[in-house]
Every structure is written in structure tokens, then in C-alpha cells.
Amino acid sequence: MSDRGAPLSELPDLPEATVARLPEYLRALHVLAERGDDVVSSEELAHAAGVNSAKLRKDLSYLRSNGTRGVGYDVGQLIDKIEHVLGLNQHRAVALVGVGNLGQALAGYGGFGSRGFHIAALFDVDPARIGDRIAGLPVRHIDDLAEVVALERIAIAVIATPAHAAQTVTDALVDCGVTSILNFAPCVLSVPENVDVRKVDLAIELQILSFHEHRKATLTALPEAIS
């Protein structure tokens, strides 16, 4: 039986680390479903999601999904369960602010629809961009933000502006009632306690990879221990 439409009181209180892994499980499950697999073992799903099976079983136990011993997890039911917990069955509208190179790439990304989201509105302040159409949507001036957010019932926004503009945009979004922000600008945003912010900084991710490359090179260069 599907869990879609289950009452809010049934939502589990999940650790943040578990929440961060659920989309990976969901991605792997959709791949399994697309190739016709109806059942998956914890070992198979863990491998597909890039985690160890003990961690996966613990994460799924929070969802009261323990699988069947000797059989595994029902792929379709587990997809329904995770999508319900993540709120993806509501197909949420998202506003995108900033339509430079990154913003245009995000606006044109076709994978949001299958993940439970759709870009509902695009905003910028550059007069040369206002009125342009990207992926079928008109670019609106940021002054139209409040009207469009209310009309489209938008609670999630993506910021792809330069760093110097990001806080001003954030303040405008919060004033309009947006309570979740995905920030691609290379800066830290100040928001009220009821607003959630996720930051994506590609330079930081590259710097972390640089550390690992530096560490591997250092270990390779170490002289062999004298026996």
C-alpha cells in the first residue's frame, strides 16, 4: 500500500545525516525501478547509493521500512515512502533568482521534474535580460517577486546571483514568505530561524578535492619505512 497522503503526524523525526542520504537512496531506487527490479536487498541498494549496508538499514528503520528477511525491500513501496517523507509528492514550485550562465543552466535542467520540483519563475535585475524566455519561462524583474511568489505558492528559491547581491535577494525572498533557499552564491547568508539554507559552493568542493589530491601525493612521496 502506498504511503502517499499519509498524515503529517506520521512523519518521522530524522537525523540530518539520514535526510541527506535519502535522495541518494531514492535516485538508486528509481534506477532499479526503470530496469524492472521489483525487489532489492539492503546490500544491493547500499552499493548503488554508495553507503554501507548497516548505515542504510539504520536509515530506513527510521522510516519503519525494515524489508523482508531473505527477500529485501519492495522497490515501489520504498520509493513511495521516501518521496512522502521528503515531501516530493507535492511537486513543489521553485523560484530561480539570477539568470547568468549558472542560472540559465539551472533553468534549463530537465531533471527537476522527475525529482518532485519545477522551476515556476525566473528573476533578474539586468534590463537586458528582463522579458527573455529561458526554458519557456519569461525572466521577470525582481520587483515582481512578491506577486509571483504568492501566485505560484512558492516556498523554495534558488539564488544564482553574484555574491554582492545575494543577501539583498535573500531579504526580499524572506519578506515574500520563502522559507527554504538553495544558495549558489559564494557567501554566507543571514536568515531568520524559520528559514532553511543549503549552500552549494563549487570552489569549496574543488578545494576539498585538492586536499585529497595533495594528501595522496604526499603519501606517495613518503619514503618506504625501514624494515
Side-chain angles (χ1 to χ4, degrees), residues 5-223:
L8 184 62
S9 60
E10 292 186 12
L11 289 177
D13 186 13
L14 302 177
E16 282 296 320
T18 296
V19 174
R21 287 189 289 267
L22 289 181
E24 290 296 335
Y25 302 152
L26 186 59
R27 175 195 57 76
L29 286 163
H30 276 297
V31 171
L32 292 167
E34 286 168 6
R35 75 182 191 192
D37 292 353
D38 296 324
V39 178
V40 62
S41 70
S42 59
E43 289 78 11
E44 291 170 331
L45 182 54
H47 177 74
V51 303
N52 67 63
S53 57
K55 185 175 292 184
L56 177 137
R57 286 192 293 270
K58 183 175 181 180
D59 286 341
L60 296 186
S61 71
Y62 289 118
L63 311 185
R64 296 185 290 278
S65 295
N66 296 311
T68 302
R69 184 178 294 276
V71 178
Y73 297 93
D74 182 291
V75 171
Q77 287 184 2
L78 195 50
I79 287 174
D80 277 351
K81 171 74 78 170
I82 295 175
E83 287 186 344
H84 167 66
V85 169
L86 293 177
L88 301 183
N89 51 336
Q90 300 181 36
H91 207 73
R92 298 179 184 276
V94 177
L96 172 60
V97 184
V99 292
N101 292 335
L102 176 59
Q104 290 183 49
L106 293 170
Y109 175 59
F112 290 130
S114 62
R115 303 293 182 91
F117 304 90
H118 69 280
I119 302 295
L122 307 175
F123 299 93
D124 208 287
V125 294
D126 184 352
R129 298 187 184 277
I130 307 305
D132 286 350
R133 298 190 75 86
I134 301 173
L137 288 173
V139 178
R140 299 172 178 267
H141 194 276
I142 196 71
D143 289 348
D144 296 334
L145 189 63
E147 176 187 352
V148 177
V149 164
L151 181 65
E152 298 288 346
R153 298 182 178 180
I154 293 172
I156 301 175
V158 177
I159 295 178
T161 67
H164 67 83
Q167 186 61 56
T168 300
V169 168
T170 298
D171 294 341
L173 289 167
V174 171
D175 288 344
C176 294
V178 169
T179 52
S180 292
I181 295 172
L182 180 61
N183 178 31
F184 281 89
C187 62
V188 176
L189 301 176
S190 176
V191 296
E193 289 185 0
N194 68 315
V195 176
D196 293 302
V197 176
R198 299 283 296 180
K199 183 179 179 182
V200 180
D201 192 321
L202 300 180
I204 287 177
E205 298 303 322
L206 287 171
Q207 287 169 347
I208 292 170
L209 289 175
S210 177
F211 162 78
H212 290 293
E213 285 300 310
H214 182 56
R215 182 174 180 274
K216 285 183 285 187
T218 301
L219 290 175
T220 302
L222 287 175

